[in-house]
Amino acid sequence: MATEEPNVSIGDVSHSTFAIGSHARAVAHHGTAPQRDEAAEELLKAVRELRADLSRVRAGEETDALRAALAETEEEITRTGRAAPSRRERLRELLTDSQTLLSVLASAGAVAGLLGL
């Protein structure tokens, strides 16, 4: 006796998002990147420069916190096209706490200036 097997056919799945299975989750990332205004673009550039400069500075508690916040800011601007006010405030706090760093690294001064410090 032959059993009936389920029949599945998948055609062209270009530009599609789907998941299969009981715990599957599909997330679509289609379309264009979010639009960034000039201020966000300028902040993103300054954040990237400061991150590069921080790679040449000895790690410490303050620099580690600043590195993490800069990475999160870069990711947020890249993903959403802007840095939320709370993210900008966190960077302000970290840069204020790092006054010595601001005087040594021009890139830190650039980010601080863009954040209104």
Side-chain angles (χ1 to χ4, degrees):
M1 173 155 96
T3 59
E4 291 285 324
E5 292 290 325
N7 206 3
V8 176
S9 175
I10 300 175
D12 180 13
V13 294
S14 300
H15 308 292
S16 298
T17 304
F18 59 92
I20 300 171
S22 62
H23 298 290
R25 181 174 164 249
V27 177
H29 295 284
H30 303 289
T32 60
Q35 294 296 317
R36 294 189 286 259
D37 63 15
E38 188 176 325
E41 197 64 48
E42 197 173 344
L43 179 59
L44 180 59
K45 180 182 177 205
V47 162
R48 287 176 173 163
E49 287 176 9
L50 179 52
R51 287 187 72 200
D53 286 346
L54 282 177
S55 69
R56 295 181 282 278
V57 174
R58 185 177 331 153
E61 193 175 309
E62 285 181 350
T63 56
D64 288 346
L66 184 55
R67 280 184 181 98
L70 289 167
E72 292 166 359
T73 302
E74 181 177 350
E75 189 276 330
E76 183 175 20
I77 294 171
T78 302
R79 184 175 39 83
T80 67
R82 65 183 195 90
S86 59
R87 175 100 42 220
R88 296 169 70 93
E89 183 59 35
R90 176 71 178 136
L91 278 178
R92 278 187 203 96
E93 290 170 6
L94 290 168
L95 287 168
T96 299
D97 292 344
S98 303
Q99 287 299 320
T100 304
L101 186 64
L102 287 175
S103 64
V104 173
L105 297 175
S107 59
V111 172
L114 290 168
L115 294 171
L117 287 177

